[in-house]
PDB file of all heavy atoms in Angstrom:
ATOM      1  N   LEU L   1      74.793 171.184  56.389  1.00 98.00           N
ATOM      2  CA  LEU L   1      74.495 170.022  55.548  1.00 98.00           C
ATOM      3  C   LEU L   1      74.289 168.773  56.397  1.00 98.00           C
ATOM      4  O   LEU L   1      73.380 167.976  56.145  1.00 98.00           O
ATOM      5  CB  LEU L   1      75.621 169.801  54.535  1.00 98.00           C
ATOM      6  CG  LEU L   1      75.961 170.988  53.626  1.00 98.00           C
ATOM      7  CD1 LEU L   1      77.057 170.605  52.647  1.00 98.00           C
ATOM      8  CD2 LEU L   1      74.733 171.485  52.881  1.00 98.00           C
ATOM      9  N   ARG L   2      75.118 168.624  57.411  1.00 97.00           N
ATOM     10  CA  ARG L   2      75.022 167.448  58.278  1.00 97.00           C
ATOM     11  C   ARG L   2      73.711 167.456  59.064  1.00 97.00           C
ATOM     12  O   ARG L   2      73.004 166.432  59.144  1.00 97.00           O
ATOM     13  CB  ARG L   2      76.223 167.411  59.211  1.00 97.00           C
ATOM     14  CG  ARG L   2      77.547 167.259  58.476  1.00 97.00           C
ATOM     15  CD  ARG L   2      78.745 167.621  59.348  1.00 97.00           C
ATOM     16  NE  ARG L   2      78.841 166.727  60.506  1.00 97.00           N
ATOM     17  CZ  ARG L   2      79.746 166.864  61.461  1.00 97.00           C
ATOM     18  NH1 ARG L   2      80.613 167.873  61.408  1.00 97.00           N
ATOM     19  NH2 ARG L   2      79.784 166.018  62.474  1.00 97.00           N
ATOM     20  N   ALA L   3      73.360 168.591  59.635  1.00 97.00           N
ATOM     21  CA  ALA L   3      72.124 168.686  60.413  1.00 97.00           C
ATOM     22  C   ALA L   3      70.898 168.521  59.532  1.00 97.00           C
ATOM     23  O   ALA L   3      69.922 167.871  59.922  1.00 97.00           O
ATOM     24  CB  ALA L   3      72.077 170.023  61.154  1.00 97.00           C
ATOM     25  N   HIS L   4      70.935 169.079  58.327  1.00 98.00           N
ATOM     26  CA  HIS L   4      69.773 168.999  57.442  1.00 98.00           C
ATOM     27  C   HIS L   4      69.522 167.573  56.960  1.00 98.00           C
ATOM     28  O   HIS L   4      68.371 167.113  56.934  1.00 98.00           O
ATOM     29  CB  HIS L   4      69.959 169.936  56.257  1.00 98.00           C
ATOM     30  CG  HIS L   4      69.392 171.299  56.501  1.00 98.00           C
ATOM     31  ND1 HIS L   4      69.573 172.357  55.638  1.00 98.00           N
ATOM     32  CD2 HIS L   4      68.618 171.787  57.521  1.00 98.00           C
ATOM     33  CE1 HIS L   4      68.952 173.431  56.111  1.00 98.00           C
ATOM     34  NE2 HIS L   4      68.374 173.103  57.250  1.00 98.00           N
ATOM     35  N   MET L   5      70.572 166.870  56.551  1.00 98.00           N
ATOM     36  CA  MET L   5      70.343 165.512  56.060  1.00 98.00           C
ATOM     37  C   MET L   5      69.874 164.592  57.186  1.00 98.00           C
ATOM     38  O   MET L   5      69.008 163.734  56.984  1.00 98.00           O
ATOM     39  CB  MET L   5      71.610 164.964  55.399  1.00 98.00           C
ATOM     40  CG  MET L   5      72.013 165.711  54.120  1.00 98.00           C
ATOM     41  SD  MET L   5      70.653 166.002  52.943  1.00 98.00           S
ATOM     42  CE  MET L   5      70.225 164.318  52.484  1.00 98.00           C
ATOM     43  N   ALA L   6      70.409 164.786  58.390  1.00 96.00           N
ATOM     44  CA  ALA L   6      69.920 163.994  59.523  1.00 96.00           C
ATOM     45  C   ALA L   6      68.467 164.331  59.831  1.00 96.00           C
ATOM     46  O   ALA L   6      67.681 163.451  60.202  1.00 96.00           O
ATOM     47  CB  ALA L   6      70.797 164.247  60.749  1.00 96.00           C
ATOM     48  N   ALA L   7      68.089 165.601  59.644  1.00 96.00           N
ATOM     49  CA  ALA L   7      66.727 166.030  59.975  1.00 96.00           C
ATOM     50  C   ALA L   7      65.686 165.377  59.079  1.00 96.00           C
ATOM     51  O   ALA L   7      64.535 165.178  59.501  1.00 96.00           O
ATOM     52  CB  ALA L   7      66.616 167.554  59.881  1.00 96.00           C
ATOM     53  N   ILE L   8      66.052 165.028  57.845  1.00 97.00           N
ATOM     54  CA  ILE L   8      65.085 164.369  56.958  1.00 97.00           C
ATOM     55  C   ILE L   8      65.228 162.852  57.013  1.00 97.00           C
ATOM     56  O   ILE L   8      64.653 162.128  56.187  1.00 97.00           O
ATOM     57  CB  ILE L   8      65.193 164.872  55.498  1.00 97.00           C
ATOM     58  CG1 ILE L   8      66.538 164.509  54.873  1.00 97.00           C
ATOM     59  CG2 ILE L   8      64.943 166.372  55.432  1.00 97.00           C
ATOM     60  CD1 ILE L   8      66.596 164.757  53.360  1.00 97.00           C
ATOM     61  N   GLY L   9      65.979 162.355  57.998  1.00 96.00           N
ATOM     62  CA  GLY L   9      66.076 160.917  58.217  1.00 96.00           C
ATOM     63  C   GLY L   9      67.131 160.214  57.402  1.00 96.00           C
ATOM     64  O   GLY L   9      67.165 158.984  57.361  1.00 96.00           O
ATOM     65  N   HIS L  10      68.037 160.987  56.765  1.00 97.00           N
ATOM     66  CA  HIS L  10      69.081 160.390  55.922  1.00 97.00           C
ATOM     67  C   HIS L  10      70.426 161.027  56.263  1.00 97.00           C
ATOM     68  O   HIS L  10      70.981 161.803  55.473  1.00 97.00           O
ATOM     69  CB  HIS L  10      68.744 160.578  54.441  1.00 97.00           C
ATOM     70  CG  HIS L  10      67.460 159.930  54.038  1.00 97.00           C
ATOM     71  ND1 HIS L  10      67.340 158.569  53.864  1.00 97.00           N
ATOM     72  CD2 HIS L  10      66.224 160.459  53.839  1.00 97.00           C
ATOM     73  CE1 HIS L  10      66.079 158.282  53.544  1.00 97.00           C
ATOM     74  NE2 HIS L  10      65.390 159.406  53.525  1.00 97.00           N
ATOM     75  N   PRO L  11      70.971 160.703  57.443  1.00 97.00           N
ATOM     76  CA  PRO L  11      72.240 161.315  57.850  1.00 97.00           C
ATOM     77  C   PRO L  11      73.376 160.932  56.917  1.00 97.00           C
ATOM     78  O   PRO L  11      73.354 159.885  56.260  1.00 97.00           O
ATOM     79  CB  PRO L  11      72.465 160.752  59.256  1.00 97.00           C
ATOM     80  CG  PRO L  11      71.718 159.451  59.265  1.00 97.00           C
ATOM     81  CD  PRO L  11      70.499 159.699  58.419  1.00 97.00           C
ATOM     82  N   ILE L  12      74.370 161.805  56.871  1.00 98.00           N
ATOM     83  CA  ILE L  12      75.554 161.520  56.077  1.00 98.00           C
ATOM     84  C   ILE L  12      76.322 160.370  56.733  1.00 98.00           C
ATOM     85  O   ILE L  12      76.503 160.338  57.954  1.00 98.00           O
ATOM     86  CB  ILE L  12      76.435 162.775  55.967  1.00 98.00           C
ATOM     87  CG1 ILE L  12      75.665 163.856  55.188  1.00 98.00           C
ATOM     88  CG2 ILE L  12      77.762 162.465  55.287  1.00 98.00           C
ATOM     89  CD1 ILE L  12      76.335 165.215  55.175  1.00 98.00           C
ATOM     90  N   VAL L  13      76.715 159.412  55.936  1.00 97.00           N
ATOM     91  CA  VAL L  13      77.399 158.224  56.449  1.00 97.00           C
ATOM     92  C   VAL L  13      78.661 158.644  57.212  1.00 97.00           C
ATOM     93  O   VAL L  13      79.452 159.475  56.745  1.00 97.00           O
ATOM     94  CB  VAL L  13      77.747 157.269  55.295  1.00 97.00           C
ATOM     95  CG1 VAL L  13      78.675 156.152  55.759  1.00 97.00           C
ATOM     96  CG2 VAL L  13      76.468 156.687  54.696  1.00 97.00           C
ATOM     97  N   GLY L  14      78.832 158.086  58.402  1.00 96.00           N
ATOM     98  CA  GLY L  14      79.968 158.390  59.244  1.00 96.00           C
ATOM     99  C   GLY L  14      79.763 159.563  60.181  1.00 96.00           C
ATOM    100  O   GLY L  14      80.656 159.887  60.957  1.00 96.00           O
ATOM    101  N   ASP L  15      78.588 160.179  60.136  1.00 96.00           N
ATOM    102  CA  ASP L  15      78.334 161.358  60.970  1.00 96.00           C
ATOM    103  C   ASP L  15      77.706 160.951  62.301  1.00 96.00           C
ATOM    104  O   ASP L  15      76.498 161.028  62.489  1.00 96.00           O
ATOM    105  CB  ASP L  15      77.434 162.351  60.237  1.00 96.00           C
ATOM    106  CG  ASP L  15      77.345 163.701  60.953  1.00 96.00           C
ATOM    107  OD1 ASP L  15      77.978 163.840  62.015  1.00 96.00           O
ATOM    108  OD2 ASP L  15      76.646 164.589  60.435  1.00 96.00           O
ATOM    109  N   GLY L  16      78.558 160.506  63.227  1.00 93.00           N
ATOM    110  CA  GLY L  16      78.048 160.089  64.527  1.00 93.00           C
ATOM    111  C   GLY L  16      77.441 161.211  65.334  1.00 93.00           C
ATOM    112  O   GLY L  16      76.555 160.983  66.157  1.00 93.00           O
ATOM    113  N   LYS L  17      77.878 162.453  65.107  1.00 93.00           N
ATOM    114  CA  LYS L  17      77.342 163.589  65.870  1.00 93.00           C
ATOM    115  C   LYS L  17      75.861 163.795  65.594  1.00 93.00           C
ATOM    116  O   LYS L  17      75.066 164.040  66.502  1.00 93.00           O
ATOM    117  CB  LYS L  17      78.117 164.866  65.530  1.00 93.00           C
ATOM    118  CG  LYS L  17      77.614 166.103  66.287  1.00 93.00           C
ATOM    119  CD  LYS L  17      78.329 167.360  65.848  1.00 93.00           C
ATOM    120  CE  LYS L  17      79.742 167.465  66.374  1.00 93.00           C
ATOM    121  NZ  LYS L  17      79.765 167.896  67.795  1.00 93.00           N
ATOM    122  N   TYR L  18      75.449 163.685  64.329  1.00 95.00           N
ATOM    123  CA  TYR L  18      74.059 163.956  63.979  1.00 95.00           C
ATOM    124  C   TYR L  18      73.254 162.706  63.638  1.00 95.00           C
ATOM    125  O   TYR L  18      72.024 162.735  63.704  1.00 95.00           O
ATOM    126  CB  TYR L  18      74.000 164.941  62.802  1.00 95.00           C
ATOM    127  CG  TYR L  18      74.428 166.325  63.208  1.00 95.00           C
ATOM    128  CD1 TYR L  18      75.744 166.752  63.023  1.00 95.00           C
ATOM    129  CD2 TYR L  18      73.542 167.205  63.812  1.00 95.00           C
ATOM    130  CE1 TYR L  18      76.159 168.007  63.421  1.00 95.00           C
ATOM    131  CE2 TYR L  18      73.938 168.465  64.215  1.00 95.00           C
ATOM    132  CZ  TYR L  18      75.245 168.864  64.017  1.00 95.00           C
ATOM    133  OH  TYR L  18      75.656 170.117  64.422  1.00 95.00           O
ATOM    134  N   GLY L  19      73.935 161.625  63.279  1.00 93.00           N
ATOM    135  CA  GLY L  19      73.204 160.441  62.873  1.00 93.00           C
ATOM    136  C   GLY L  19      73.385 159.238  63.771  1.00 93.00           C
ATOM    137  O   GLY L  19      72.778 158.199  63.547  1.00 93.00           O
ATOM    138  N   GLY L  20      74.239 159.376  64.808  1.00 91.00           N
ATOM    139  CA  GLY L  20      74.476 158.256  65.702  1.00 91.00           C
ATOM    140  C   GLY L  20      75.360 157.198  65.074  1.00 91.00           C
ATOM    141  O   GLY L  20      75.816 157.323  63.940  1.00 91.00           O
ATOM    142  N   GLY L  21      75.587 156.133  65.814  1.00 88.00           N
ATOM    143  CA  GLY L  21      76.491 155.091  65.352  1.00 88.00           C
ATOM    144  C   GLY L  21      75.798 153.834  64.891  1.00 88.00           C
ATOM    145  O   GLY L  21      76.442 152.829  64.623  1.00 88.00           O
ATOM    146  N   GLY L  22      74.457 153.864  64.790  1.00 91.00           N
ATOM    147  CA  GLY L  22      73.711 152.668  64.407  1.00 91.00           C
ATOM    148  C   GLY L  22      73.601 152.480  62.913  1.00 91.00           C
ATOM    149  O   GLY L  22      74.007 153.327  62.120  1.00 91.00           O
ATOM    150  N   GLN L  23      73.017 151.347  62.517  1.00 91.00           N
ATOM    151  CA  GLN L  23      72.825 151.029  61.105  1.00 91.00           C
ATOM    152  C   GLN L  23      71.354 150.869  60.746  1.00 91.00           C
ATOM    153  O   GLN L  23      71.011 150.805  59.569  1.00 91.00           O
ATOM    154  CB  GLN L  23      73.551 149.718  60.763  1.00 91.00           C
ATOM    155  CG  GLN L  23      75.047 149.765  60.997  1.00 91.00           C
ATOM    156  CD  GLN L  23      75.709 148.428  60.706  1.00 91.00           C
ATOM    157  OE1 GLN L  23      75.233 147.668  59.875  1.00 91.00           O
ATOM    158  NE2 GLN L  23      76.794 148.140  61.401  1.00 91.00           N
ATOM    159  N   GLU L  24      70.477 150.824  61.743  1.00 89.00           N
ATOM    160  CA  GLU L  24      69.072 150.512  61.487  1.00 89.00           C
ATOM    161  C   GLU L  24      68.240 151.752  61.223  1.00 89.00           C
ATOM    162  O   GLU L  24      68.610 152.862  61.591  1.00 89.00           O
ATOM    163  CB  GLU L  24      68.476 149.781  62.691  1.00 89.00           C
ATOM    164  CG  GLU L  24      69.129 148.458  63.003  1.00 89.00           C
ATOM    165  CD  GLU L  24      68.515 147.837  64.245  1.00 89.00           C
ATOM    166  OE1 GLU L  24      68.856 148.255  65.360  1.00 89.00           O
ATOM    167  OE2 GLU L  24      67.672 146.936  64.071  1.00 89.00           O
ATOM    168  N   ASN L  25      67.090 151.543  60.609  1.00 88.00           N
ATOM    169  CA  ASN L  25      66.068 152.584  60.497  1.00 88.00           C
ATOM    170  C   ASN L  25      65.044 152.296  61.581  1.00 88.00           C
ATOM    171  O   ASN L  25      64.270 151.347  61.484  1.00 88.00           O
ATOM    172  CB  ASN L  25      65.420 152.538  59.104  1.00 88.00           C
ATOM    173  CG  ASN L  25      64.449 153.685  58.906  1.00 88.00           C
ATOM    174  OD1 ASN L  25      63.939 154.257  59.873  1.00 88.00           O
ATOM    175  ND2 ASN L  25      64.197 154.027  57.657  1.00 88.00           N
ATOM    176  N   LEU L  26      65.060 153.119  62.625  1.00 82.00           N
ATOM    177  CA  LEU L  26      64.189 152.877  63.774  1.00 82.00           C
ATOM    178  C   LEU L  26      62.875 153.632  63.666  1.00 82.00           C
ATOM    179  O   LEU L  26      62.158 153.785  64.643  1.00 82.00           O
ATOM    180  CB  LEU L  26      64.920 153.270  65.059  1.00 82.00           C
ATOM    181  CG  LEU L  26      66.216 152.489  65.322  1.00 82.00           C
ATOM    182  CD1 LEU L  26      66.903 152.983  66.591  1.00 82.00           C
ATOM    183  CD2 LEU L  26      65.939 150.999  65.414  1.00 82.00           C
TER     184      LEU L  26
END
């Protein structure tokens, strides 16, 4: 679930492993 949501550009909040620690949409 964590890898899939990050893969579509919407990581699970708080998931630094797959979504990083930033807040921006780069």
Side-chain angles (χ1 to χ4, degrees):
L1 304 182
R2 297 163 62 184
H4 269 172
M5 294 313 296
I8 65 169
H10 299 285
I12 295 172
V13 170
D15 190 0
K17 180 184 285 282
Y18 289 95
Q23 299 177 29
E24 298 177 282
N25 185 337
L26 299 178

